[in-house]
mmCIF file of all heavy atoms in Angstrom:
data_model
loop_
_atom_site.group_PDB
_atom_site.id
_atom_site.type_symbol
_atom_site.label_atom_id
_atom_site.label_comp_id
_atom_site.label_asym_id
_atom_site.label_seq_id
_atom_site.Cartn_x
_atom_site.Cartn_y
_atom_site.Cartn_z
ATOM 1 N N ALA A 184 0.839 -1.201 -0.001
ATOM 2 C CA ALA A 184 -0.020 -0.020 -0.010
ATOM 3 C C ALA A 184 0.878 1.241 0.001
ATOM 4 O O ALA A 184 1.958 1.260 0.576
ATOM 5 C CB ALA A 184 -0.911 0.006 1.227
ATOM 6 N N PRO A 185 0.394 2.313 -0.630
ATOM 7 C CA PRO A 185 1.103 3.581 -0.526
ATOM 8 C C PRO A 185 0.923 4.158 0.861
ATOM 9 O O PRO A 185 0.051 3.708 1.619
ATOM 10 C CB PRO A 185 0.404 4.466 -1.574
ATOM 11 C CG PRO A 185 -0.959 3.873 -1.706
ATOM 12 C CD PRO A 185 -0.794 2.407 -1.485
ATOM 13 N N THR A 186 1.722 5.098 1.231
ATOM 14 C CA THR A 186 1.643 5.728 2.542
ATOM 15 C C THR A 186 1.341 7.223 2.367
ATOM 16 O O THR A 186 1.656 7.791 1.310
ATOM 17 C CB THR A 186 2.953 5.568 3.340
ATOM 18 O OG1 THR A 186 4.023 6.082 2.559
ATOM 19 C CG2 THR A 186 3.213 4.062 3.576
ATOM 20 N N PRO A 187 0.731 7.838 3.347
ATOM 21 C CA PRO A 187 0.458 9.268 3.261
ATOM 22 C C PRO A 187 1.729 10.063 2.894
ATOM 23 O O PRO A 187 2.798 9.831 3.449
ATOM 24 C CB PRO A 187 -0.051 9.625 4.641
ATOM 25 C CG PRO A 187 -0.712 8.355 5.120
ATOM 26 C CD PRO A 187 0.195 7.266 4.589
ATOM 27 N N GLY A 188 1.539 10.969 1.945
ATOM 28 C CA GLY A 188 2.662 11.758 1.460
ATOM 29 C C GLY A 188 3.276 11.253 0.186
ATOM 30 O O GLY A 188 4.002 11.979 -0.498
ATOM 31 N N ASP A 189 2.988 10.009 -0.179
ATOM 32 C CA ASP A 189 3.507 9.455 -1.430
ATOM 33 C C ASP A 189 2.955 10.231 -2.631
ATOM 34 O O ASP A 189 1.790 10.631 -2.643
ATOM 35 C CB ASP A 189 3.142 7.973 -1.598
ATOM 36 C CG ASP A 189 3.988 7.049 -0.758
ATOM 37 O OD1 ASP A 189 4.923 7.544 -0.119
ATOM 38 O OD2 ASP A 189 3.701 5.826 -0.768
ATOM 39 N N GLU A 190 3.802 10.417 -3.632
ATOM 40 C CA GLU A 190 3.344 11.078 -4.860
ATOM 41 C C GLU A 190 2.973 10.022 -5.894
ATOM 42 O O GLU A 190 3.709 9.054 -6.096
ATOM 43 C CB GLU A 190 4.429 12.003 -5.432
ATOM 44 C CG GLU A 190 3.940 12.752 -6.657
ATOM 45 C CD GLU A 190 4.964 13.794 -7.160
ATOM 46 O OE1 GLU A 190 5.583 14.453 -6.299
ATOM 47 O OE2 GLU A 190 5.146 13.909 -8.406
ATOM 48 N N LEU A 191 1.822 10.222 -6.524
ATOM 49 C CA LEU A 191 1.337 9.280 -7.501
ATOM 50 C C LEU A 191 1.048 10.038 -8.803
ATOM 51 O O LEU A 191 0.765 11.245 -8.807
ATOM 52 C CB LEU A 191 0.028 8.632 -7.020
ATOM 53 C CG LEU A 191 0.060 7.962 -5.664
ATOM 54 C CD1 LEU A 191 -1.346 7.513 -5.279
ATOM 55 C CD2 LEU A 191 1.015 6.780 -5.656
ATOM 56 N N LYS A 192 1.111 9.312 -9.924
ATOM 57 C CA LYS A 192 0.730 9.871 -11.208
ATOM 58 C C LYS A 192 -0.578 9.202 -11.637
ATOM 59 O O LYS A 192 -0.738 8.007 -11.505
ATOM 60 C CB LYS A 192 1.792 9.584 -12.266
ATOM 61 C CG LYS A 192 2.966 10.551 -12.268
ATOM 62 C CD LYS A 192 2.589 11.854 -13.000
ATOM 63 C CE LYS A 192 3.847 12.720 -13.200
ATOM 64 N NZ LYS A 192 3.462 13.966 -13.918
ATOM 65 N N VAL A 193 -1.472 10.032 -12.142
ATOM 66 C CA VAL A 193 -2.746 9.474 -12.690
ATOM 67 C C VAL A 193 -2.807 9.799 -14.171
ATOM 68 O O VAL A 193 -2.212 10.804 -14.629
ATOM 69 C CB VAL A 193 -3.963 10.070 -11.970
ATOM 70 C CG1 VAL A 193 -3.991 9.651 -10.509
ATOM 71 C CG2 VAL A 193 -4.015 11.570 -12.061
ATOM 72 N N ALA A 194 -3.474 8.955 -14.933
ATOM 73 C CA ALA A 194 -3.545 9.144 -16.368
ATOM 74 C C ALA A 194 -4.951 8.848 -16.853
ATOM 75 O O ALA A 194 -5.658 8.026 -16.254
ATOM 76 C CB ALA A 194 -2.546 8.256 -17.114
ATOM 77 N N GLY A 195 -5.402 9.533 -17.899
ATOM 78 C CA GLY A 195 -6.720 9.281 -18.442
ATOM 79 C C GLY A 195 -7.023 10.137 -19.650
ATOM 80 O O GLY A 195 -6.280 11.048 -19.992
ATOM 81 N N PHE A 196 -8.126 9.817 -20.297
ATOM 82 C CA PHE A 196 -8.556 10.499 -21.488
ATOM 83 C C PHE A 196 -9.729 11.463 -21.227
ATOM 84 O O PHE A 196 -10.470 11.818 -22.112
ATOM 85 C CB PHE A 196 -8.994 9.481 -22.562
ATOM 86 C CG PHE A 196 -7.830 8.736 -23.178
ATOM 87 C CD1 PHE A 196 -7.456 7.484 -22.688
ATOM 88 C CD2 PHE A 196 -7.137 9.268 -24.262
ATOM 89 C CE1 PHE A 196 -6.415 6.805 -23.283
ATOM 90 C CE2 PHE A 196 -6.092 8.595 -24.830
ATOM 91 C CZ PHE A 196 -5.722 7.339 -24.357
ATOM 92 N N GLY A 197 -9.922 11.841 -19.942
ATOM 93 C CA GLY A 197 -11.060 12.671 -19.587
ATOM 94 C C GLY A 197 -10.881 14.146 -19.945
ATOM 95 O O GLY A 197 -9.907 14.560 -20.562
ATOM 96 N N ARG A 198 -11.871 14.926 -19.553
ATOM 97 C CA ARG A 198 -11.852 16.348 -19.838
ATOM 98 C C ARG A 198 -10.622 17.043 -19.233
ATOM 99 O O ARG A 198 -10.001 16.514 -18.333
ATOM 100 C CB ARG A 198 -13.102 17.032 -19.244
ATOM 101 C CG ARG A 198 -14.396 16.568 -19.758
ATOM 102 C CD ARG A 198 -15.522 17.320 -19.068
ATOM 103 N NE ARG A 198 -16.772 16.636 -19.183
ATOM 104 C CZ ARG A 198 -17.882 17.033 -18.599
ATOM 105 N NH1 ARG A 198 -17.877 18.111 -17.806
ATOM 106 N NH2 ARG A 198 -19.000 16.349 -18.771
ATOM 107 N N THR A 199 -10.333 18.201 -19.743
ATOM 108 C CA THR A 199 -9.330 19.064 -19.128
ATOM 109 C C THR A 199 -9.981 20.405 -18.769
ATOM 110 O O THR A 199 -11.217 20.546 -18.837
ATOM 111 C CB THR A 199 -8.152 19.316 -20.095
ATOM 112 O OG1 THR A 199 -8.616 20.103 -21.189
ATOM 113 C CG2 THR A 199 -7.576 17.980 -20.553
ATOM 114 N N LYS A 200 -9.206 21.382 -18.460
ATOM 115 C CA LYS A 200 -9.761 22.683 -18.145
ATOM 116 C C LYS A 200 -10.315 23.372 -19.419
ATOM 117 O O LYS A 200 -11.265 24.182 -19.327
ATOM 118 C CB LYS A 200 -8.659 23.564 -17.550
ATOM 119 C CG LYS A 200 -9.109 24.936 -17.075
ATOM 120 C CD LYS A 200 -7.965 25.665 -16.403
ATOM 121 C CE LYS A 200 -8.415 27.015 -15.874
ATOM 122 N NZ LYS A 200 -7.317 27.733 -15.164
ATOM 123 N N ILE A 201 -9.779 22.982 -20.568
ATOM 124 C CA ILE A 201 -10.132 23.694 -21.804
ATOM 125 C C ILE A 201 -10.731 22.790 -22.855
ATOM 126 O O ILE A 201 -11.234 23.286 -23.865
ATOM 127 C CB ILE A 201 -8.926 24.443 -22.375
ATOM 128 C CG1 ILE A 201 -7.775 23.444 -22.669
ATOM 129 C CG2 ILE A 201 -8.448 25.544 -21.453
ATOM 130 C CD1 ILE A 201 -6.570 24.094 -23.338
ATOM 131 N N GLU A 202 -10.682 21.478 -22.660
ATOM 132 C CA GLU A 202 -11.194 20.551 -23.682
ATOM 133 C C GLU A 202 -12.244 19.615 -23.055
ATOM 134 O O GLU A 202 -12.027 19.038 -21.997
ATOM 135 C CB GLU A 202 -10.079 19.671 -24.256
ATOM 136 C CG GLU A 202 -9.037 20.437 -25.082
ATOM 137 C CD GLU A 202 -7.996 19.489 -25.625
ATOM 138 O OE1 GLU A 202 -7.116 19.066 -24.825
ATOM 139 O OE2 GLU A 202 -8.054 19.166 -26.811
ATOM 140 N N TRP A 203 -13.373 19.477 -23.818
ATOM 141 C CA TRP A 203 -14.431 18.595 -23.344
ATOM 142 C C TRP A 203 -14.105 17.124 -23.642
ATOM 143 O O TRP A 203 -14.337 16.243 -22.831
ATOM 144 C CB TRP A 203 -15.746 18.985 -24.038
ATOM 145 C CG TRP A 203 -16.940 18.363 -23.414
ATOM 146 C CD1 TRP A 203 -17.454 17.134 -23.683
ATOM 147 C CD2 TRP A 203 -17.766 18.931 -22.433
ATOM 148 N NE1 TRP A 203 -18.571 16.873 -22.948
ATOM 149 C CE2 TRP A 203 -18.806 17.977 -22.147
ATOM 150 C CE3 TRP A 203 -17.798 20.144 -21.749
ATOM 151 C CZ2 TRP A 203 -19.837 18.219 -21.220
ATOM 152 C CZ3 TRP A 203 -18.808 20.366 -20.818
ATOM 153 C CH2 TRP A 203 -19.801 19.408 -20.556
ATOM 154 N N ALA A 204 -13.578 16.890 -24.826
ATOM 155 C CA ALA A 204 -13.258 15.504 -25.245
ATOM 156 C C ALA A 204 -11.867 15.505 -25.879
ATOM 157 O O ALA A 204 -11.764 15.434 -27.104
ATOM 158 C CB ALA A 204 -14.329 14.948 -26.175
ATOM 159 N N PRO A 205 -10.810 15.587 -25.071
ATOM 160 C CA PRO A 205 -9.458 15.651 -25.650
ATOM 161 C C PRO A 205 -9.068 14.370 -26.377
ATOM 162 O O PRO A 205 -9.522 13.284 -26.029
ATOM 163 C CB PRO A 205 -8.576 15.884 -24.424
ATOM 164 C CG PRO A 205 -9.356 15.344 -23.266
ATOM 165 C CD PRO A 205 -10.792 15.587 -23.613
ATOM 166 N N ASN A 206 -8.234 14.513 -27.364
ATOM 167 C CA ASN A 206 -7.749 13.372 -28.152
ATOM 168 C C ASN A 206 -6.474 12.787 -27.562
ATOM 169 O O ASN A 206 -6.067 11.689 -27.964
ATOM 170 C CB ASN A 206 -7.492 13.762 -29.580
ATOM 171 C CG ASN A 206 -8.783 13.908 -30.379
ATOM 172 O OD1 ASN A 206 -9.680 13.039 -30.227
ATOM 173 N ND2 ASN A 206 -8.905 14.952 -31.191
ATOM 174 N N LYS A 207 -5.856 13.540 -26.652
ATOM 175 C CA LYS A 207 -4.559 13.068 -26.106
ATOM 176 C C LYS A 207 -4.687 12.688 -24.629
ATOM 177 O O LYS A 207 -5.442 13.299 -23.877
ATOM 178 C CB LYS A 207 -3.499 14.150 -26.274
ATOM 179 C CG LYS A 207 -3.138 14.436 -27.726
ATOM 180 C CD LYS A 207 -2.006 15.404 -27.851
ATOM 181 C CE LYS A 207 -1.621 15.628 -29.294
ATOM 182 N NZ LYS A 207 -0.496 16.608 -29.442
ATOM 183 N N LEU A 208 -3.959 11.625 -24.323
ATOM 184 C CA LEU A 208 -3.883 11.188 -22.923
ATOM 185 C C LEU A 208 -3.200 12.238 -22.071
ATOM 186 O O LEU A 208 -2.147 12.790 -22.494
ATOM 187 C CB LEU A 208 -3.127 9.845 -22.861
ATOM 188 C CG LEU A 208 -2.912 9.229 -21.475
ATOM 189 C CD1 LEU A 208 -4.222 8.770 -20.930
ATOM 190 C CD2 LEU A 208 -1.948 8.049 -21.593
ATOM 191 N N HIS A 209 -3.718 12.514 -20.918
ATOM 192 C CA HIS A 209 -3.125 13.483 -19.989
ATOM 193 C C HIS A 209 -2.788 12.789 -18.655
ATOM 194 O O HIS A 209 -3.329 11.767 -18.306
ATOM 195 C CB HIS A 209 -4.084 14.649 -19.725
ATOM 196 C CG HIS A 209 -4.153 15.611 -20.882
ATOM 197 N ND1 HIS A 209 -4.748 15.301 -22.083
ATOM 198 C CD2 HIS A 209 -3.727 16.902 -20.994
ATOM 199 C CE1 HIS A 209 -4.673 16.332 -22.885
ATOM 200 N NE2 HIS A 209 -4.065 17.331 -22.251
ATOM 201 N N THR A 210 -1.880 13.412 -17.950
ATOM 202 C CA THR A 210 -1.476 12.933 -16.644
ATOM 203 C C THR A 210 -1.534 14.093 -15.627
ATOM 204 O O THR A 210 -1.540 15.265 -16.015
ATOM 205 C CB THR A 210 -0.061 12.347 -16.634
ATOM 206 O OG1 THR A 210 0.906 13.366 -16.947
ATOM 207 C CG2 THR A 210 0.075 11.200 -17.613
#
């Protein structure tokens, strides 16, 4: 299990601040 304070990266094809349906994977 991770511990409090660990840094993690998340990835997905969801919205961004400026795009509703982006074509590029973001992290």
Side-chain angles (χ1 to χ4, degrees):
T186 57
D189 282 356
E190 183 174 320
L191 307 174
K192 277 280 190 180
V193 296
F196 287 96
R198 299 180 198 174
T199 67
K200 183 176 183 178
I201 57 176
E202 293 180 284
W203 193 274
N206 284 318
K207 292 185 178 181
L208 179 68
H209 285 69
T210 64

